[in-house]
Amino acid sequence: MGQVCAAFDPADVTYVTTLDGLPQKSGFARYALVQDCNKNAPFKALICTLQMAGVLIRTRPDVIITTGALPGVIALVLGWMIRRRTIWVDSIANAEEASSSGKLAKRFATLWLSQWESVAQAEGGRYEGSLL
């Protein structure tokens, strides 16, 4: 995570996570917690959407960069709706094909990246190198 965070220095960054304790452990000054959710928990997805909308209203980001599961897709969709630039980094765990969230995110991402060159080529995304 250190490499990614260092790339944003000295930008004004708000980190959003579903993991309570992670921002404090990582020393993030500005962060927000949102409800974790997945496609099998529509009520949690609704809560996450409302919380994420609140974060975007408060922080007014220029760019939204995300990876991960449904909360990340929700952030991209909301960012797309308010015409912000959006960047999706598909999971490092998906070395053979894009994640299901990543496939959905392609519709809303200004830039869609994979950490695997073969996945980026197969999905019409970009490969700019890996983080590990």
Side-chain angles (χ1 to χ4, degrees):
M1 184 179 298
Q3 284 179 291
V4 174
C5 296
F8 300 128
D9 191 38
D12 185 20
V13 177
T14 299
Y15 293 91
V16 180
T17 182
T18 62
L19 301 172
D20 192 13
L22 180 63
Q24 301 89 329
K25 177 182 168 188
S26 301
F28 298 153
R30 292 181 52 180
Y31 65 89
L33 295 173
V34 296
Q35 173 69 53
D36 197 7
C37 61
N38 61 51
K39 64 183 178 183
N40 299 319
F43 185 69
K44 287 183 178 181
L46 175 61
I47 292 170
C48 179
T49 300
L50 295 172
Q51 291 172 329
M52 194 72 73
V55 170
L56 296 180
I57 288 167
R58 284 190 309 277
T59 61
R60 303 173 56 94
D62 295 319
V63 181
I64 297 167
I65 303 170
T66 187
T67 185
L70 188 54
V73 175
I74 290 169
L76 283 188
V77 171
L78 293 172
W80 175 82
M81 290 173 67
I82 61 173
R83 301 179 189 262
R84 296 301 191 261
R85 290 175 289 168
T86 57
I87 300 172
W88 176 268
V89 182
D90 205 44
S91 172
I92 194 165
N94 294 72
E96 302 298 321
E97 64 180 356
S99 65
S100 57
S101 294
K103 289 177 183 179
L104 181 58
K106 281 193 326 184
R107 299 178 188 153
F108 303 99
T110 307
L111 175 61
W112 191 94
L113 300 167
S114 175
Q115 297 183 72
W116 302 100
E117 190 170 14
S118 60
V119 174
Q121 289 174 348
E123 296 293 333
R126 285 182 42 190
Y127 171 78
E128 297 291 334
S130 66
L131 294 175
L132 300 177

